[in-house]
Amino acid sequence: MITSTGNAKVKQLIQLQKKRKARDEAKVFLAEGLRMALEAPREQVLDVYVSESFYNKRNKELKLDAWGGKLCVFTDSVFAHVSDTKTPQGILTVMRQMEYKLEDILGREKPLLVILDNLQDPGNLGTILRAGEAAGVTGVILSRDCVDIYNPKVIRSTMGSIYRMPFLYVDELPQVVSAMKESGIQSFAAHLDGKRSYDQESYTGGTAFLIGNEGNGLRADVAKAADTYVRIPMCGQVESLNAAVAASVLMFEAARQRRE
Amino acid sequence: MITSTGNAKVKQLIQLQKKRKARDEAKVFLAEGLRMALEAPREQVLDVYVSESFYNKRNKELKLDAWGGKLCVFTDSVFAHVSDTKTPQGILTVMRQMEYKLEDILGREKPLLVILDNLQDPGNLGTILRAGEAAGVTGVILSRDCVDIYNPKVIRSTMGSIYRMPFLYVDELPQVVSAMKESGIQSFAAHLDGKRSYDQESYTGGTAFLIGNEGNGLRADVAKAADTYVRIPMCGQVESLNAAVAASVLMFEAARQRRE
């Protein structure tokens, strides 16, 4: 059992919590909490860290010992030190990062894609993955300058969808949007300049929704690459919607049309 | 100009930031940032606090001096001490709390209502107010144990909708849902037991959507009071949606039907 916050493993975990660079160099990410541990694909689990109380309470039921050399027990205070949450559940897994290719994402039958341009809020990204999985989204493409998908706050708000939603960071979104066009995928930019209401378009074929930054929307070159601008009609004095809400309204309209 | 964090006004503002009880006793709330200040109904503004740099930069343009005795300047470091944000914009208003009655909320023509049962996350509540205003929601009713709508994080995520969306906290949600029935308002519980998909119902008449707690959904007695259970069909392994996403999907479906 590890009892000191000075331990090298503890220090490394804190680096992995806090720094994208540390995660990317090690090609890992952290998934905290019981639900995230239970839904984790076992072949991607590199290490399992638990608090002493969690181990004592749940070892039998969860067969923690079966993890063998991958399992490591921390005292409760060391676990709390490493945890990203105020009230840690007592289990944290180190996972191998996912690796998807553009072909994985574009190559499906009638894909339903979400393209994110400079999205910055971790909660928004996690919520889009979770709602996207529920709405039948088949992949997410992110500009390189979006928030890190392996940020612990993103992971937590995906509620497990991080394990199942194919995604890819790309350097040049406009080029990818053009490549989609060649694959027969129609792209729709959620844009205040949109003339047609979003529910007047058909999303039953290959479809991609472009969602922009929380404060500034889509960058001009990205919006320009889209086939169609759509607008979500808004009442009252609201100027824009939260990015995750806008994405959800579009994704679930696509899901509704695809069910009919 | 106030230069010390020991000043009584400074101490009181911090109480108002942090404590629901302090806000409710004084019947005020704090709205931080330029946008919130510009959209604030002037008759509800009790005090305007600005940082020294904000005052020097924006006084002429914004006519800050016109606030007279209501205006108070803090040094930048005192302002940062009082602010709820990491990078304060330099303006904070103390606002009189809103006062709505049940009749204000139920008495409209074909109301579109959202009923929140024990919602806990400030970001979710703020997002529901903002998306709700955009979708044409006419009022929000909250169980007494929901997060405080005047919590600074709620205020910020409403992006101004807090000033315009009628709302009411009530002790007994089931009774209110029954009262709605008598006013001809049909209530729909977002519920995993729902047999009909949400897009199979009509929301063009008086409509109320019931949304439950983030972890536990609707309490049994609240759900039981609803006329109809509706379900948002979900693909993949997703078990539930984020509360603000679920509310948004329902609210914008109602908006879509009401536009047709």
Side-chain angles (χ1 to χ4, degrees):
Chain A
M1 187 162 69
I2 290 173
T3 58
S4 157
T5 56
N7 179 281
K9 278 190 181 176
V10 173
K11 286 184 175 170
Q12 195 210 356
L13 282 174
I14 288 177
Q15 290 297 304
L16 294 175
Q17 287 280 24
K18 291 190 179 162
K19 295 194 179 162
R20 180 177 195 163
K21 206 180 157 200
R23 292 190 288 266
D24 286 349
E25 281 174 3
K27 298 201 171 173
V28 302
F29 67 101
L30 304 184
E32 197 171 339
L34 182 57
R35 184 202 177 103
M36 291 303 293
L38 292 175
E39 295 196 3
R42 285 184 85 90
E43 67 282 5
Q44 272 175 258
V45 177
L46 302 176
D47 301 294
V48 178
Y49 292 92
V50 293
S51 71
E52 189 179 2
S53 339
F54 187 90
Y55 180 82
N56 291 337
K57 252 186 254 166
R58 314 293 294 265
N59 176 32
K60 274 193 193 162
E61 167 202 352
L62 298 172
K63 301 194 179 94
L64 294 172
D65 282 334
W67 286 104
K70 291 185 174 182
L71 183 72
C72 179
V73 182
F74 286 166
T75 59
D76 288 8
S77 68
V78 170
F79 194 93
H81 180 72
V82 163
S83 171
D84 186 55
T85 64
K86 279 187 198 162
T87 50
Q89 294 181 29
I91 183 164
L92 171 74
T93 57
V94 180
M95 309 283 306
R96 188 179 300 121
Q97 290 190 358
M98 271 68 84
E99 286 185 22
Y100 301 99
K101 292 177 188 151
L102 192 58
E103 304 85 82
D104 299 337
I105 293 176
L106 300 189
R108 304 201 175 199
E109 180 102 1
K110 294 186 182 170
L112 178 58
L113 305 177
V114 174
I115 317 286
L116 302 172
D117 183 27
N118 193 27
L119 197 84
Q120 290 306 312
D121 183 80
N124 278 343
L125 177 53
T127 301
I128 289 173
L129 291 184
R130 178 182 175 193
E133 184 186 0
V137 167
T138 57
V140 174
I141 296 174
L142 308 97
S143 66
R144 187 74 63 196
D145 55 3
C146 281
V147 58
D148 180 21
I149 202 163
Y150 294 123
N151 175 312
K153 288 199 189 73
V154 176
I155 300 294
R156 202 178 317 133
S157 51
T158 68
M159 300 285 276
S161 298
I162 183 69
Y163 300 135
R164 300 178 292 266
M165 178 66 76
F167 65 87
L168 190 70
Y169 281 85
V170 299
D171 289 314
E172 293 291 342
L173 270 191
Q175 289 175 14
V176 171
V177 175
S178 302
M180 293 190 319
K181 210 171 292 191
E182 286 164 27
S183 308
I185 300 168
Q186 246 206 306
S187 56
F188 299 89
H191 205 288
L192 299 173
D193 288 349
K195 294 211 174 67
R196 300 254 291 178
S197 171
Y198 74 100
D199 56 307
Q200 305 293 309
E201 301 287 340
S202 168
Y203 309 121
T204 53
T207 296
F209 292 122
L210 276 62
I211 304 289
N213 169 271
E214 287 84 356
N216 307 314
L218 287 166
R219 281 175 284 211
D221 60 335
V222 178
K224 212 178 154 188
D227 293 312
T228 311
Y229 285 11
V230 292
R231 173 178 59 82
I232 301 175
M234 292 186 288
C235 307
Q237 296 176 47
V238 179
E239 286 172 17
S240 69
L241 292 173
N242 165 283
V245 167
S248 297
V249 169
L250 297 175
M251 298 185 301
F252 279 93
E253 171 64 13
R256 191 183 74 83
Q257 293 184 9
R258 286 168 174 229
R259 275 196 308 276
E260 272 178 357
Chain B
M1 187 162 69
I2 291 173
T3 58
S4 158
T5 56
N7 180 282
K9 277 190 181 176
V10 173
K11 286 185 175 169
Q12 196 208 356
L13 283 174
I14 287 176
Q15 291 296 305
L16 295 174
Q17 288 280 25
K18 292 191 178 160
K19 295 194 178 161
R20 179 178 195 161
K21 207 180 156 200
R23 291 189 289 266
D24 286 350
E25 280 174 3
K27 299 200 169 171
V28 301
F29 66 102
L30 305 185
E32 197 170 340
L34 181 58
R35 185 201 176 103
M36 292 302 294
L38 292 175
E39 295 195 3
R42 286 184 84 90
E43 67 283 6
Q44 271 174 260
V45 177
L46 302 175
D47 301 294
V48 178
Y49 292 92
V50 292
S51 71
E52 190 180 1
S53 338
F54 187 91
Y55 180 82
N56 291 337
K57 251 186 258 168
R58 314 292 294 263
N59 176 32
K60 273 190 192 164
E61 168 201 353
L62 298 172
K63 300 192 180 100
L64 293 170
D65 283 334
W67 287 105
K70 290 186 174 181
L71 183 72
C72 179
V73 182
F74 286 166
T75 58
D76 289 7
S77 68
V78 169
F79 194 93
H81 180 73
V82 162
S83 170
D84 186 54
T85 63
K86 279 185 199 163
T87 49
Q89 294 182 29
I91 183 162
L92 171 74
T93 57
V94 180
M95 308 283 306
R96 188 180 300 120
Q97 291 190 358
M98 273 66 86
E99 286 185 21
Y100 301 100
K101 291 178 187 151
L102 192 57
E103 304 86 80
D104 299 336
I105 292 175
L106 301 189
R108 304 200 175 199
E109 179 100 2
K110 295 186 183 172
L112 178 57
L113 305 177
V114 174
I115 318 285
L116 301 173
D117 183 27
N118 193 29
L119 197 83
Q120 290 305 312
D121 182 80
N124 278 343
L125 178 53
T127 302
I128 288 172
L129 291 184
R130 177 181 175 194
E133 184 187 1
V137 167
T138 57
V140 174
I141 297 174
L142 308 96
S143 66
R144 187 73 64 196
D145 55 5
C146 282
V147 58
D148 180 20
I149 203 164
Y150 295 122
N151 175 313
K153 287 198 192 74
V154 176
I155 301 294
R156 202 177 319 134
S157 50
T158 68
M159 298 286 276
S161 298
I162 183 70
Y163 299 135
R164 299 178 293 266
M165 178 65 77
F167 65 89
L168 192 70
Y169 280 85
V170 300
D171 289 314
E172 293 291 341
L173 270 192
Q175 289 175 14
V176 172
V177 175
S178 303
M180 291 189 321
K181 211 170 292 191
E182 285 164 28
S183 307
I185 300 168
Q186 246 206 306
S187 57
F188 298 89
H191 204 288
L192 299 173
D193 288 349
K195 292 211 177 65
R196 301 254 290 177
S197 171
Y198 75 101
D199 55 309
Q200 305 292 310
E201 301 286 340
S202 167
Y203 309 120
T204 53
T207 297
F209 293 120
L210 276 61
I211 304 288
N213 170 270
E214 288 84 355
N216 308 312
L218 287 166
R219 280 175 284 212
D221 61 334
V222 178
K224 211 176 155 188
D227 293 312
T228 309
Y229 286 11
V230 291
R231 172 178 61 81
I232 301 175
M234 292 186 289
C235 307
Q237 296 177 46
V238 179
E239 286 173 15
S240 69
L241 291 172
N242 164 283
V245 167
S248 297
V249 169
L250 297 174
M251 298 185 302
F252 279 93
E253 171 64 13
R256 191 183 73 83
Q257 293 184 9
R258 286 168 174 228
R259 275 196 308 275
E260 274 177 356

